[in-house]
């Protein structure tokens, strides 16, 4: 599963992009491309093990799921080949 | 390579690290990500004096890609826009499986150069780029098979031991070419005396490249020029021109270090001179 805090957005505040990019709703910021690998649990990465931002907000993620929050990102990322 | 090489006016090779794989346009909107953007950035960097471009590949959304096809698209764009610059692929990639790390070597034609990370590097709070010795050996073997010159990336002094060990157990074409990297975390602390120590600990006959991360980019490039080495600058390693001011382009960072070299009396190598110096 991908990180429950991951969304793909084309704009936020005064930042906009032609192609939707990984956005961390816990940190309220676009994420670095390498961090997007963690968000998407690519390769041997796991957001709940490797991402300090997720670990700091894990309780909120659990509460969001219990309240019926989305588990999947709004837009899927392209997978690295 | 020594201060005597500086005094003798040996040409300095400027490498432009155009995009990297860690940060993207969220850090600096001027950082190139698409093949066309990278190709144009390579041409501008070459025009400013870069002889080598160090490249990574991206997905359309800016995320990392190690796929041969994406590197091929980048190379095609560089060749379309630039004149004769040397292309150097990254084989780095935190957490990417070993077979994926080989994919950047498989473009047609292969890159003239490719990076070879000499050991581990910490990332964020919970990640390490492992770069095991077995992976280093397997990447080097494929580089030799495909005629690719390795750029030995030395993140810290322990990796200098790894360079010596690599040269003892494997055949690396002369001259060995090591990039000495300075910054925070697992990197060698960015102190001028540490560059001197690293140079002293290089194998006999090795050539070195100097890389300072962030605000250390310009001072370490300057030190590298004075100590007879080569230099790497670019948005992969530093997104600022000066404190609080984002760099406008890779070419701007290249131009600044070219100006430093010329002010100090050291000529800047053309791509052909770089090929001769590096034995490509």
């Amino acid at each position: 599963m991908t990180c429950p805090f991951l969304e793909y957005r084309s704009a936020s505040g005064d930042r906009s992009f032609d192609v939707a990019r990984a956005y961390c709703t816990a940190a309220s910021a676009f994420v670095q491309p390498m961090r997007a690998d963690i968000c998407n649990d690519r390769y041997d990465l796991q957001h709940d093990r490797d991402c300090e931002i997720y670990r700091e907000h894990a309780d909120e993620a659990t509460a969001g799921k219990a309240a019926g929050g989305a588990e999947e990102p709004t837009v899927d990322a392209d997978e690295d080949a | 390579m020594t201060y005597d090489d500086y005094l003798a006016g040996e040409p300095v090779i400027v490498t432009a690290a155009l995009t990297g794989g860690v940060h993207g346009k969220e850090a600096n909107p001027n950082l190139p990500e698409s093949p066309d953007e990278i190709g144009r950035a390579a041409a501008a960097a070459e025009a400013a004096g870069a002889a080598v471009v160090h490249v990574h590949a991206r997905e359309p959304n800016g995320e990392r890609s190690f796929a041969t096809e994406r590197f091929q698209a980048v190379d095609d764009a560089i060749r379309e826009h630039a004149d004769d610059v040397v292309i150097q692929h990254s084989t780095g990639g935190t957490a990417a499986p070993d077979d994926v790390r080989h994919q950047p070597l498989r473009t047609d034609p292969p890159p003239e150069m490719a990076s070879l990370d000499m050991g581990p590097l910490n990332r964020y709070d919970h990640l390490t780029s492992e770069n095991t010795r077995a992976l280093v050996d397997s990447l080097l073997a494929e580089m030799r098979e495909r005629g690719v010159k390795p750029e030995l990336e030395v993140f810290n002094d322990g990796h200098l031991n790894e360079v010596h060990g690599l040269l003892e157990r494997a055949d690396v074409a002369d001259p060995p070419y090591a990039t000495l990297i300075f910054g925070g975390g697992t990197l060698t602390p960015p102190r001028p005396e540490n560059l001197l120590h690293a140079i002293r600990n290089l194998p006999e006959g090795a050539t070195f490249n100097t890389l300072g991360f962030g605000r250390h980019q310009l001072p370490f490039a300057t030190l590298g020029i004075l100590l007879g080495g080569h230099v790497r600058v670019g948005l992969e390693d530093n997104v600022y021109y000066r404190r609080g001011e984002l760099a406008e382009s890779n070419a701007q960072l290249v131009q600044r270090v070219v100006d430093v070299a010329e002010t100090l009396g050291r000529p800047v190598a053309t791509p052909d001179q770089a090929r001769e110096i590096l034995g490509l």
Side-chain angles (χ1 to χ4, degrees):
Chain A
M1 64 171 267
T2 58
C3 175
F5 293 115
L6 172 67
E7 289 185 4
Y8 276 78
R9 294 186 182 180
S10 295
S12 177
D14 59 355
R15 306 293 302 271
S16 65
F17 300 102
D18 293 338
V19 179
R21 301 173 70 94
Y23 184 90
C24 175
T25 59
S28 298
F30 287 102
V31 305
Q32 294 179 341
M34 204 183 103
R35 281 193 184 273
D37 287 341
I38 308 174
C39 305
N40 286 292
D41 290 1
R42 292 190 181 117
Y43 311 123
D44 291 329
L45 301 170
Q46 295 173 28
H47 65 273
D48 55 355
R49 182 190 65 195
D50 299 320
C51 177
E52 50 271 25
I53 300 170
Y54 176 84
R55 288 155 68 106
E56 287 171 8
H57 295 83
D59 291 345
E60 299 163 36
T62 306
K65 275 188 205 172
E71 289 189 34
E72 299 296 328
T74 359
V75 179
D76 286 333
D78 292 331
E79 287 297 323
D80 281 333
Chain B
M1 302 180 72
T2 65
Y3 180 61
D4 287 342
D5 291 309
Y6 159 67
L7 293 175
E10 293 296 321
V12 55
I13 300 168
V14 177
T15 294
L18 302 174
T19 185
V22 176
H23 52 266
K25 288 186 186 296
E26 80 294 333
N28 183 332
N30 303 316
L31 186 145
E33 292 180 348
S34 71
D36 188 63
E37 288 175 338
I38 295 171
R40 292 178 188 280
E46 182 183 24
V52 179
V53 288
H54 172 85
V55 296
H56 294 241
R58 305 294 190 102
E59 297 292 341
N61 60 11
E63 294 176 14
R64 301 190 304 170
S65 174
F66 305 97
T68 303
E69 294 76 14
R70 296 299 294 175
F71 274 89
Q72 187 71 55
V74 170
D75 287 3
D76 291 347
I78 291 173
R79 293 191 179 102
E80 178 186 346
H81 294 293
D83 185 15
D84 191 33
V85 74
V86 175
I87 296 175
Q88 179 188 91
H89 286 180
S90 168
T91 64
T94 301
D98 289 2
D99 61 326
V100 169
R101 298 279 295 276
H102 281 257
Q103 291 182 15
L105 300 174
R106 296 173 181 167
T107 52
D108 182 18
E112 289 183 84
M113 302 181 73
S115 64
L116 186 60
D117 298 347
M118 297 309 297
L121 174 70
N122 283 347
R123 299 277 194 192
Y124 312 129
D125 290 348
H126 301 281
L127 289 184
T128 297
S129 299
E130 290 184 324
N131 300 312
T132 63
R133 205 172 283 160
L135 174 61
V136 170
D137 286 354
S138 72
L139 284 168
L140 180 62
E142 183 158 349
M143 287 185 202
R144 280 185 51 75
E145 187 181 307
R146 296 180 64 77
V148 179
K149 173 86 177 186
E151 177 241 358
L152 310 175
E153 295 208 347
V154 174
F155 297 141
N156 54 54
D157 287 355
H159 292 181
L160 289 165
N161 290 329
E162 293 294 319
V163 170
H164 284 269
L166 183 73
L167 297 181
E168 287 172 10
R169 70 178 182 272
D171 190 6
V172 176
D174 286 330
Y177 178 62
T179 294
L180 307 174
I181 306 175
F182 299 84
T186 333
L187 303 174
T188 300
R191 301 283 177 265
E193 58 270 31
N194 291 340
L195 175 57
L196 290 167
H197 287 305
I199 295 168
R200 280 195 202 101
N201 284 317
L202 283 168
E204 185 74 25
T207 303
F208 74 91
N209 186 28
T210 318
L211 195 176
F213 277 0
R215 66 193 175 109
H216 306 292
Q217 184 167 88
L218 179 61
F220 270 75
T222 305
L223 288 167
I225 291 166
L226 286 170
L227 294 171
H230 306 293
V231 303
R232 171 171 140 175
V233 297
L235 293 171
E236 170 174 350
D237 307 324
N238 164 44
V239 296
Y240 291 97
Y241 189 71
R242 57 173 65 89
R243 186 178 179 85
E245 181 184 334
L246 291 173
E248 294 174 2
S249 64
N250 282 287
Q252 183 191 35
L253 296 172
V254 169
Q255 186 63 59
R256 179 166 62 173
V257 79
V258 165
D259 290 344
V260 170
E262 290 177 345
T263 298
L264 293 172
R266 201 158 164 216
V268 175
T270 65
D272 276 347
Q273 286 175 315
R275 289 183 176 96
E276 185 177 345
I277 293 166
L278 297 172
L280 303 183

